[in-house]
């Protein structure tokens, strides 16, 4: 600052005033920081709110806002460059204290503190039902006082009891029994869902049963995974199952298994609609209110007699019993007007399940599944001719060449067909090939699945003829069929699936000598980075060397990438949350860079492909008409496949 003739120049006067102001701010800020600030932080305006979720009163909220404003003002003074240059470390610590204090006080003004308990209850119920069914409701009661009050007053949270293990020592612990009784109290009068597990120990009474059997009128969904010797311990529920709707029983028999004595524990359950029974031996011993059941799954030796007593059945799954084949004597016709889905499983020995169909009249049957070694077409024809079958699943090796078309002639409305061709004649699928000049079988078919050991040309011909045919407007003397929405081939092993895709897409490494090298890279990287064992430093170094070789290799033919699936492996590495050695060698980043380099060529190559890999062993066909759009999503599926199989086709990209 310069002085002339005893007077201060105007510009110098402005500098002087600015300097005095800054110095006063510095002095004031340091005083606040050393005394008032410390007392302000150590003594919050409303300390009681820091240890609860109670909402502040209007006066408390006003005091908190004023305090926050004061601290923010003091924090703004610390941004002065003159101040921060004097002690950087002390100022940094003080900024942290300011930020923590402001954040803590602002949390006291959160709208969540004003939420009514009813909204918390709705959030808890929604999360438990839609997000995580395994969430222990007791966890919600340990967060804070408000959450505890809301959780304990929400009866729906306590209606599903934890799995009750009657074999464990915990099941007899008085503290656990007390918690169980609390569950019963907190659930109010709502229906209960419970799972009882007892496969080893035998008993006539148990503390858990003593706690829950008095509440049996509220049992709605019951899963009994129990020992046959302890089944008698449940006699206290007889005649007290007014709310029971769904019953699942899985019996674990002793080595010296003897047939169960007839049990009427569930005979008086007026709302029972769904029953599933698993275990050794026929399950006719279980006396049920058959006249009201809508769904049943189990092993029955006297199926005709029981089915006659179950006119309300809509879904039925019957399995053969080891040592008790389902061989039935002729019986009077049984009509089940409501039955829509029927499954017959006879996986053991010579079982004549189709005899059951001879005298069954099922006018509304839409879904039929059969699994087993013995299958009589004539029995099914008489049944299918009187219904409107929509879905048919056949896993059997007993079909002859002409049986399959004879069966399909009687299912003109069929939309879903799932056939296991393993063990069948090689030409079993030929009648399904569509030709415009011949009447087609199952013209309404939309979803087709073949299960096979190996690729078969006639299966591919069926799929292409029903996906890629040309519609001729007003054709003379020609026929038409619905275009398949999903055509799938399921192989018995991933290796066969990959070989089949190579064959169908005409991928061959014969013209490229380095194909074996690329396959070797893929196998080595897959075994080390995605294997079950944690690799040591030597193996990680070898992976680093392979990455370096690939990065410096130059152009890799697309066919070699497709044959080796190296691009799929790189995608898995780049998307994996944890990769061994990634901290040191950056494998995920390097894989993403390589993938970015390969993607344009892979997408261009995908425009000539037709098969999408789903899971490990499925191939799904993409019709030629759908691939013309070359949508990004479709190209991605053709290049990388889909991790998990789906029942529906891939989604079109517009």
């Amino acid at each position: 600052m310069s002085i002339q003739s005893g007077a201060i120049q105007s510009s110098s006067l402005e500098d002087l005033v600015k300097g005095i102001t800054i110095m006063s701010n510095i002095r004031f800020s340091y005083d606040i920081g050393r005394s008032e600030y410390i007392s302000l932080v150590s003594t919050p305006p409303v300390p009681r709110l820091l240890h609860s979720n109670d909402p502040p009163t209007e006066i408390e909220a006003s005091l908190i806002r004023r305090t926050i404003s004061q601290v923010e003002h003091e924090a703004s003074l610390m941004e002065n460059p003159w101040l921060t240059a004097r002690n950087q470390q002390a100022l940094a610590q003080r900024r942290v204290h300011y930020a923590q204090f402001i954040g803590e006080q602002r949390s006291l003004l959160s709208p969540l503190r004003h939420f009514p308990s009813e909204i918390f209850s709705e959030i808890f119920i929604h999360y438990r039902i839609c997000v995580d069914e395994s969430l222990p409701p007791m966890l919600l009661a340990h967060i804070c006082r408000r959450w505890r009050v809301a959780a304990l007053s929400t009866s729906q949270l306590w209606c599903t009891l934890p799995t009750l293990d009657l074999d464990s020592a915990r099941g007899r612990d008085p503290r656990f029994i007390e918690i169980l009784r609390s569950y019963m109290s907190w659930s109010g009068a709502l229906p209960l869902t419970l799972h009882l597990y007892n496969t080893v120990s035998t008993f006539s009474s148990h503390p858990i049963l003593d706690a829950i059997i008095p509440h049996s009128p509220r049992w709605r969904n019951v899963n009994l995974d129990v020992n046959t010797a302890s089944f008698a311990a449940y006699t206290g529920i007889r005649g007290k199952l007014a709310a029971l709707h769904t019953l699942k029983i899985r019996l674990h028999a002793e080595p010296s298994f003897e047939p169960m004595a007839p049990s009427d524990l569930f005979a008086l359950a007026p709302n029972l609609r769904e029953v599933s029974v698993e275990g050794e031996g026929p399950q006719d011993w279980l006396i049920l209110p058959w006249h009201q059941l809508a769904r049943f799954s189990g092993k029955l030796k006297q199926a005709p007699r029981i089915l006659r007593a179950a006119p309300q059945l809509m879904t039925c799954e019957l399995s053969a019993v080891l040592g008790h084949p389902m061989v039935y004597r002729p019986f009077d016709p049984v009509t089940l007007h409501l039955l829509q889905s029927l499954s017959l499983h006879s996986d053991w020995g010579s079982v004549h399940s189709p005899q059951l169909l001879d005298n069954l009249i099922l006018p509304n049957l839409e879904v039929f599944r059969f699994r087993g070694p013995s299958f009589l077409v004539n029995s099914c024809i008489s049944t299918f001719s009187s219904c409107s079958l929509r879905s048919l699943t056949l896993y059997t090796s007993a079909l002859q060449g002409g049986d399959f078309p004879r069966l399909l002639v009687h299912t003109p409305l069929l939309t879903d067909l799932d056939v296991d061709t393993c063990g069948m004649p090689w030409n079993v699928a030929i009648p399904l090939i569509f030709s415009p000049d011949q009447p087609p079988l199952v013209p309404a078919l939309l979803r087709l699945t073949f299960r096979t050991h190996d690729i078969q040309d006639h299966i591919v011909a069926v799929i292409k003829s029903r996906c890629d045919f040309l519609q001729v407007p007003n054709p003379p003397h020609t026929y038409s069929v619905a275009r398949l929405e999903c055509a799938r081939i399921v192989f018995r092993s991933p290796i066969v699936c990959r070989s089949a895709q190579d064959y169908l897409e005409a991928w061959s490494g014969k013209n490229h000598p380095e194909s074996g090298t690329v396959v070797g890279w893929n196998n080595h990287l897959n075994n080390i980075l995605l294997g079950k064992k944690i690799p040591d430093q030597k193996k990680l170094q070898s992976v680093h060397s392979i990455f370096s070789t690939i990065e410096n290799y130059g152009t890799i033919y697309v066919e070699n990438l497709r044959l080796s699936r190296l691009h799929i492996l790189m995608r898995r590495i780049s998307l994996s949350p944890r990769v061994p050695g990634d901290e040191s060698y950056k494998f995920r980043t390097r894989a993403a860079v390589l993938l970015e380099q390969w993607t344009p060529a892979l997408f261009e190559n995908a425009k000539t492909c037709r098969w999408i890999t789903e899971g490990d062993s499925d191939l799904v066909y993409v019709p030629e008409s759908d691939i013309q759009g070359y949508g990004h999503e479709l190209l991605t599926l053709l290049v990388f496949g889909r991790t998990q199989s789906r029942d529906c086709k891939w989604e079109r990209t517009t």
Side-chain angles (χ1 to χ4, degrees):
M1 171 169 35
S2 60
I3 299 177
Q4 295 181 356
S5 304
I8 303 177
Q9 296 181 355
S10 60
S11 60
S12 301
L13 181 61
E14 292 177 359
D15 292 340
L16 179 61
V17 173
K18 183 178 181 181
I20 294 173
T21 303
I22 293 174
M23 293 301 294
S24 63
N25 286 341
I26 294 173
R27 176 69 178 176
F28 178 70
S29 298
Y30 266 86
D31 290 343
I32 291 293
R34 291 174 179 174
S35 58
E36 295 181 10
Y37 167 74
I38 295 176
S39 63
L40 184 63
V41 172
S42 60
T43 308
V46 190
R48 71 174 184 85
L49 295 178
L50 296 176
H51 304 288
S52 73
N53 279 335
D54 295 337
T57 64
E58 292 185 6
I59 296 177
E60 291 172 338
S62 177
L63 179 59
I64 293 172
R65 292 190 185 95
R66 186 165 61 250
T67 302
I68 292 175
S69 178
Q70 293 175 357
V71 176
E72 287 178 338
H73 174 69
E74 297 305 326
S76 66
L77 296 178
M78 298 181 64
E79 301 299 327
N80 194 305
W82 285 46
L83 181 64
T84 56
R86 309 183 83 177
N87 192 337
Q88 296 291 344
Q89 185 176 2
L91 291 175
Q93 293 178 355
R94 190 164 298 173
R95 288 193 189 96
V96 172
H97 288 309
Y98 273 106
Q100 290 177 347
F101 181 82
I102 293 173
E104 188 179 68
Q105 296 303 309
R106 281 178 175 168
S107 67
L108 303 180
L109 304 175
S110 172
L112 286 176
R113 290 178 174 262
H114 298 272
F115 269 26
S117 298
E118 292 78 8
I119 295 182
F120 278 111
S121 298
E122 291 296 328
I123 294 174
F124 294 160
I125 294 172
H126 175 80
Y127 186 87
R128 181 81 187 275
I129 296 176
C130 302
V131 181
D132 186 4
E133 294 183 355
S134 63
L135 175 70
M138 192 66 73
L139 180 63
L140 300 173
H142 284 77
I143 301 300
C144 63
R145 186 175 62 184
R146 288 199 68 204
W147 281 36
R148 180 178 179 82
V149 171
L152 295 184
S153 62
T154 307
S155 300
Q156 293 91 327
L157 291 177
W158 311 96
C159 291
T160 301
L161 305 185
T163 300
L164 304 176
D165 189 351
L166 281 70
D167 292 333
S168 66
R170 178 171 175 262
R172 296 181 179 274
D173 190 333
R175 293 172 297 179
F176 178 77
I177 301 301
E178 185 61 30
I179 293 175
L180 186 58
R181 295 185 188 277
S182 298
Y183 263 77
M184 299 298 179
S185 174
W186 296 330
S187 62
L190 296 180
L192 299 173
T193 296
L194 54 93
H195 179 192
L196 291 164
Y197 185 84
N198 162 227
T199 62
V200 180
S201 58
T202 59
F203 45 78
S204 57
S205 64
H206 196 282
I208 289 180
L209 298 182
D210 295 339
I212 64 173
I213 285 181
H215 300 271
S216 59
R218 294 199 287 135
W219 292 6
R220 178 173 176 81
N221 303 307
V222 177
N223 188 345
L224 298 180
D225 206 346
V226 298
N227 193 301
T228 55
S230 301
F231 200 75
Y234 297 85
T235 54
I237 66 175
R238 182 183 288 108
K240 301 177 182 179
L241 299 170
L244 185 61
H245 179 273
T246 303
L247 174 64
K248 295 182 181 180
I249 300 177
R250 186 178 182 184
L251 291 175
H252 299 264
E254 297 292 336
S256 58
F257 172 73
E258 296 182 0
M260 294 282 293
S263 174
D264 61 349
L265 291 182
F266 306 98
L268 296 177
N271 290 302
L272 184 60
R273 296 292 183 271
E274 302 179 10
V275 176
S276 174
V277 187
E278 299 180 20
E280 299 294 336
Q283 293 147 4
D284 303 66
W285 57 270
L286 190 61
I287 301 175
L288 297 171
W290 294 101
H291 64 282
Q292 65 191 41
L293 293 187
R295 301 176 186 273
F296 176 78
S297 174
K299 303 173 183 178
L300 297 177
K301 189 177 180 182
Q302 302 295 330
R305 177 180 60 82
I306 291 176
L307 291 178
R308 187 183 302 278
Q312 303 296 320
L313 273 182
M314 300 177 63
T315 301
C316 184
E317 181 177 339
L318 300 178
S319 301
V321 183
L322 182 61
H324 300 271
M326 291 192 291
V327 180
Y328 307 117
R329 298 177 180 178
F331 57 93
D332 294 335
V334 176
T335 302
L336 298 175
H337 292 282
L338 301 181
L339 191 65
Q340 298 177 359
S341 177
L342 176 62
S343 301
L344 298 178
H345 294 210
S346 55
D347 294 332
W348 304 296
S350 177
V351 180
H352 303 287
S353 301
Q355 294 181 11
L356 177 64
L357 297 175
D358 289 339
N359 291 315
L360 281 182
I361 302 174
L362 311 172
N364 293 305
L365 186 67
E366 295 184 356
V367 179
F368 179 74
R369 301 183 183 91
F370 180 83
R371 180 191 298 271
S374 178
F375 189 82
L376 300 180
V377 176
N378 292 333
S379 299
C380 289
I381 288 178
S382 62
T383 302
F384 296 165
S385 60
S386 62
C387 66
S388 303
L389 202 66
R390 306 283 181 172
S391 177
L392 177 61
T393 301
L394 297 178
Y395 298 162
T396 178
S397 59
L399 275 178
Q400 301 301 318
D403 290 344
F404 193 48
R406 286 175 54 208
L407 187 64
L408 296 182
V409 165
H410 295 272
T411 57
L413 301 179
L414 202 67
T415 59
D416 296 75
L417 179 60
D418 188 342
V419 182
D420 189 345
T421 62
C422 301
M424 292 187 183
W426 66 271
N427 58 351
V428 68
I430 290 180
L432 282 172
I433 297 177
F434 170 64
S435 177
D437 57 352
Q438 295 180 1
L441 289 174
V442 288
L445 194 64
L446 297 177
R447 288 165 289 275
L448 176 62
T449 300
F450 285 108
R451 302 176 186 272
T452 180
H453 285 302
D454 201 355
I455 188 62
Q456 300 177 23
D457 291 335
H458 63 278
I459 290 179
V460 179
V462 170
I463 292 175
K464 290 186 175 181
S465 71
R466 291 191 170 247
C467 289
D468 296 335
F469 63 87
L470 297 177
Q471 294 282 8
V472 181
N474 302 320
H477 308 295
T478 60
Y479 301 91
S480 63
V481 295
R483 193 182 301 274
L484 289 180
E485 293 180 357
C486 180
R488 183 190 307 274
I489 304 178
V490 180
F491 298 91
R492 293 301 176 90
S493 72
I495 296 177
V496 175
C497 180
R498 289 194 293 267
S499 300
Q501 187 180 23
D502 296 343
Y503 169 76
L504 293 172
E505 303 289 13
W507 296 335
S508 174
K510 294 181 179 179
N511 300 326
H512 307 294
E514 70 273 16
S515 61
T517 303
V518 180
V519 172
W521 292 340
N522 179 80
N523 295 340
H524 190 78
L525 295 177
N526 186 72
N527 293 336
I528 295 179
L529 293 183
L530 302 181
K532 296 181 179 180
K533 296 183 179 180
I534 300 177
D536 55 24
Q537 187 60 35
K538 183 178 180 180
K539 291 184 178 180
L540 292 176
Q541 182 63 38
S542 68
V543 171
H544 167 66
S545 300
I546 292 178
F547 262 93
S548 300
T549 302
I550 297 173
E551 291 164 342
N552 299 322
Y553 190 79
T555 303
I556 301 178
Y557 288 102
V558 174
E559 268 196 11
N560 290 336
L561 290 175
R562 302 303 297 263
L563 280 169
S564 64
R565 277 68 176 179
L566 182 61
H567 61 294
I568 297 178
L569 175 63
M570 289 298 177
R571 190 169 191 248
R572 291 179 62 189
I573 293 174
S574 65
L575 298 178
S576 179
R578 293 183 180 180
V579 175
D582 186 61
E583 298 81 4
S584 302
Y585 299 105
K586 307 298 180 184
F587 291 138
R588 291 190 299 173
T589 303
R590 296 164 73 180
V593 171
L594 289 172
L595 202 58
E596 186 177 358
Q597 297 172 1
W598 297 340
T599 297
L602 287 168
F603 273 27
E604 187 64 29
N605 174 265
K607 296 178 181 180
T608 62
C609 299
R610 294 294 182 271
W611 296 89
I612 294 175
T613 305
E614 288 197 354
D616 293 329
S617 306
D618 294 14
L619 290 181
V620 176
Y621 185 72
V622 179
E624 186 175 355
S625 59
D626 293 338
I627 208 170
Q628 293 175 354
Y630 302 126
H632 182 272
E633 183 180 4
L634 174 57
L635 292 177
T636 301
L637 290 175
L638 286 167
V639 171
F640 299 105
R642 180 180 281 137
T643 305
Q644 296 180 347
S645 298
R646 297 184 182 179
D647 293 333
C648 60
K649 67 173 291 182
W650 59 271
E651 296 81 359
R652 284 188 175 89
T653 303
T654 58

